[in-house]
């Protein structure tokens, strides 16, 4: 296994993005890089309420929410 992929394996990234196409593209690309995407949130309010359940290492959040 590639050393860089070994380092990323098991790292959890949660995506918060209201555009479903953008969220899916991010998920696919991050999975290819070896990251785990346990959940995608489509609203920041939902993310705030539920984020603790996922214990992410990183959150990627869209910046153009209405």
């Amino acid at each position: 296994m590639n050393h860089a992929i070994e380092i990323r394996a098991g790292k959890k990234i949660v995506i918060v993005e209201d555009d479903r196409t953008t969220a899916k593209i991010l998920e696919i690309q991050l999975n290819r890089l070896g990251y785990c995407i346990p959940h995608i949130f489509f609203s920041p309010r939902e993310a705030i309420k539920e984020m603790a359940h996922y214990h992410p290492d990183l959150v990627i959040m869209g910046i153009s929410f209405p």
Side-chain angles (χ1 to χ4, degrees), residues 8-14 30-31 34-39 57-58:
R8 293 184 289 241
K11 299 292 183 185
K12 294 185 283 187
I13 299 176
V14 168
L30 292 168
N31 277 327
Y35 293 102
C36 172
I37 311 301
H39 196 74
D57 295 295
L58 178 71

Side-chain angles (χ1 to χ4, degrees), residues 30-50:
L30 292 168
N31 277 327
R32 286 181 182 165
L33 290 170
Y35 293 102
C36 172
I37 311 301
H39 196 74
I40 297 174
F41 292 101
F42 299 105
S43 109
R45 289 184 181 169
E46 177 190 6
I48 290 168
K49 288 168 52 176
E50 302 293 327

Side-chain angles (χ1 to χ4, degrees), residues 9-22:
K11 299 292 183 185
K12 294 185 283 187
I13 299 176
V14 168
I15 299 169
V16 184
E17 173 58 61
D18 62 340
D19 181 69
R20 292 177 186 272
T21 302
T22 301

